[in-house]
Amino acid sequence: MITRSPHRIRRLWPLALAVLAVAAVCAVAAVRPWAEAPDAVVATTNDGVAAEAPTALVVPEEPRVLIFGDSWTYGSAASMPSLGYAYVLGERMDWQTTVDGVRGSGYLKPGIDGGSYGERISALDPALSPDLVIVQGSINDRRLPAAGYREAVNAAWDSLRAVYPNASIVILGPAPQVLPVQETTARIDADLAALAGARGWWYISPIADAWITPENYADVIDTGMGRDHPSTGGHALLATRLAEALAAMSEGPDVAADAPVGPERSAG
């Protein structure tokens, strides 16, 4: 599902203002606007793969943003899909946002309304030419074998870079739909973090940064009719946390060093 929102950001100072607005509801801190990019440095991922630390995230004053993912990006379990985190974030940031969320989709798993991530990426419109692409998820691969997973991720990301060679790319890893975090979900998170690090891409881990905890789980996840997807309030919280993470990235790897780097129930 692809939905476009015709909102444009005039300046990036609204980033701080947007987070402050959500903070009034979600009790989170305000953040700083985008900054200049420092030089990259060499790092190492947890599995020993050489990685280039990402430079500070810089986007133009009126960015086009593509948010791509699974049912969480689609807005499942919100009172209406347009109250999903991707729409909330785009609205608050006043971005020109394209939301492409397909329920059940993953890097290996085809979705209900579309194919796997690689298949969907290959069908993206090059004319969209986003300044920033956020790729979310996915827990939908957790029931599939690990064999071939990293290859599928790399192939999808290679295709994404080929379609949008000038875009900044941020990877948003899976968030837990059940607690404790399932072992297979943790494996996906670790794989994505390592592969993003090897490319020098920013990686956000909702698991490592404890976006969903035993204390807030009941408020964030709809375990009834929502089938373990975020509630409307949960989507609002995810939008807030993502805005905070993006703001930290704008300050560069030194300032954002503590930022997130990087279930047998249907919740993708």
Side-chain angles (χ1 to χ4, degrees):
M1 176 181 179
I2 300 179
T3 307
R4 289 186 173 87
S5 175
H7 301 288
R8 300 184 66 82
I9 184 167
R10 292 174 293 279
R11 287 184 173 275
L12 288 173
W13 281 106
L15 175 61
L17 298 177
V19 175
L20 280 170
V22 182
V25 177
C26 301
V28 295
V31 295
R32 291 175 53 188
W34 307 103
E36 295 299 320
D39 294 334
V41 296
V42 175
T44 305
T45 62
N46 291 337
D47 60 0
V49 177
E52 182 177 318
T55 58
L57 184 63
V58 178
V59 296
E61 290 188 350
E62 298 184 347
R64 296 179 299 275
V65 180
L66 169 62
I67 305 179
F68 179 100
D70 57 26
S71 59
W72 291 46
T73 295
Y74 176 90
S76 290
S79 58
M80 59 182 67
S82 60
L83 292 177
Y85 85 89
Y87 296 94
V88 172
L89 180 65
E91 183 75 21
R92 291 184 179 278
M93 301 301 295
D94 202 21
W95 286 339
Q96 179 179 323
T97 309
T98 300
V99 175
D100 187 342
V102 169
R103 296 170 294 176
S105 183
Y107 285 98
L108 292 174
K109 186 178 179 296
I112 296 172
D113 310 308
S116 66
Y117 277 24
E119 294 167 333
R120 292 166 54 206
I121 287 171
S122 66
L124 288 171
D125 182 5
L128 180 62
S129 188
D131 301 297
L132 172 65
V133 179
I134 300 170
V135 182
Q136 170 268 328
S138 170
I139 60 174
N140 290 316
D141 294 312
R142 69 190 185 279
R143 295 174 181 164
L144 299 178
Y149 179 75
R150 287 192 171 205
E151 290 78 7
V153 172
N154 273 323
W157 290 356
D158 286 345
S159 179
L160 182 63
R161 175 51 75 204
V163 175
Y164 301 129
N166 299 316
S168 296
I169 298 175
V170 173
I171 306 300
L172 172 60
Q177 86 287 13
V178 294
L179 293 176
V181 178
Q182 295 175 320
E183 182 178 347
T184 49
T185 300
R187 186 263 301 168
I188 288 171
D189 181 55
D191 281 349
L192 293 176
L195 294 173
R199 292 172 181 257
W201 289 0
W202 283 105
Y203 182 74
I204 303 170
S205 173
I207 293 174
D209 205 37
W211 287 15
I212 301 174
T213 67
E215 290 72 29
N216 70 8
Y217 181 83
D219 295 324
V220 175
I221 301 297
D222 182 344
T223 60
M225 294 294 292
R227 300 178 65 191
D228 299 338
H229 287 83
S231 62
T232 300
H235 277 288
L237 174 62
L238 295 177
T240 297
R241 297 306 301 270
L242 181 52
E244 292 181 306
L246 292 171
M249 291 173 187
S250 76
E251 298 174 327
D254 291 339
V255 175
D258 295 328
V261 292
E264 303 311 320
R265 301 160 79 175
S266 177

